Amino acid sequence: MKVSFPHGTTKAIALEELETHSSRLMARFGSETSGLQQEWQENKLIFSFTARGFPISGTLNVEDELIEIEVTLPLLARLMEGQIRDRAVQVMQEIFQPSMHGKGQIK
């Protein structure tokens, strides 16, 4: 699954925002996720975790104008790909378009 999102800022600021929020983003899903592993390599976040028993892995690349997310979903999780994609876009909007989402705080 691939998702692109325009961050509307500089690459450096987008990286800073994502680095600040990455751990808290996963914490929002509570007991549904476990085993989060993440590693930043310059402008790329490599991540993996388990969600509802499914192993999920992927990358998040911060480019000059876009954030590109690529996630490998197990076959059964692909049935929920649209919901997962919508949720990824919603989370990016909460970070980069906070005026659309109240205070824009990631808790």
Side-chain angles (χ1 to χ4, degrees), residues 1-3 47 57-60 68-72:
M1 177 186 84
K2 293 183 181 183
V3 178
F47 62 88
S57 62
T59 59
L60 182 151
E68 306 229 351
I69 304 169
E70 188 166 342
V71 179
T72 302

Side-chain angles (χ1 to χ4, degrees), residues 44-60:
K44 178 188 233 180
L45 173 64
I46 300 168
F47 62 88
S48 65
F49 59 93
T50 300
R52 297 183 181 180
F54 295 111
I56 309 291
S57 62
T59 59
L60 182 151

